[in-house]
Amino acid sequence: MPDTAPPTVLFVCVHNAGRSQMAAAFLTHLAGDRVQVRSAGSAPADTVNPAVVEALAEVGIDISAEVPKVLTVETVQASDVVITMGCGDTCPVFPGKRYLDWQLTDPAGQGIDAVRPIRDEIEYRIRGLIEEIAPAVQP
């Protein structure tokens, strides 16, 4: 077993109520302890989008207890990979970090029918990310 720490991934969107919550939940669900996962928002909402909670529940992921978190410089500094989803210039940039910007539709104010395709696109991207940064160990 390698003695290196798993990579840390931070998902950032404005409200930390939709896209970043879905991405963090999928990465946690699919990668387990192979990756440390964080999410935050530059201007966090009071609650996670109910349509997002419902869309993830449909695929067996419960985020009903999650709350939006504020983005801090320390959180970015403690992350290896920072994936932004529409946070614009509010995300601090530090040398040595890997940054990805995923252009995804904002689920804010959308119903479940509009959230499902966003959820599915996020799951697809998360599966690709896992293969890149934390592939499963083959026996």
Side-chain angles (χ1 to χ4, degrees), residues 49-87:
N49 180 331
V52 166
V53 174
E54 182 181 350
L56 284 176
E58 289 178 348
V59 295
I61 301 174
D62 179 9
I63 64 163
S64 60
E66 292 296 326
V67 293
K69 296 164 278 306
V70 68
L71 177 65
T72 65
V73 170
E74 294 78 19
T75 304
V76 177
Q77 287 176 321
S79 301
D80 300 307
V81 179
V82 179
I83 300 175
T84 58
M85 304 172 177
C87 83

Side-chain angles (χ1 to χ4, degrees), residues 24 36 45 72 89 124:
Q36 292 182 344
T72 65
D89 296 332
Y124 173 79

Side-chain angles (χ1 to χ4, degrees), residues 3 17-18 26 33 36-37 58 67 73 76 83 97 103 119 136:
D3 55 54
F26 269 118
D33 60 4
Q36 292 182 344
V37 183
E58 289 178 348
V67 293
V73 170
V76 177
I83 300 175
K97 304 293 175 196
Q103 298 295 318
R119 173 201 65 200

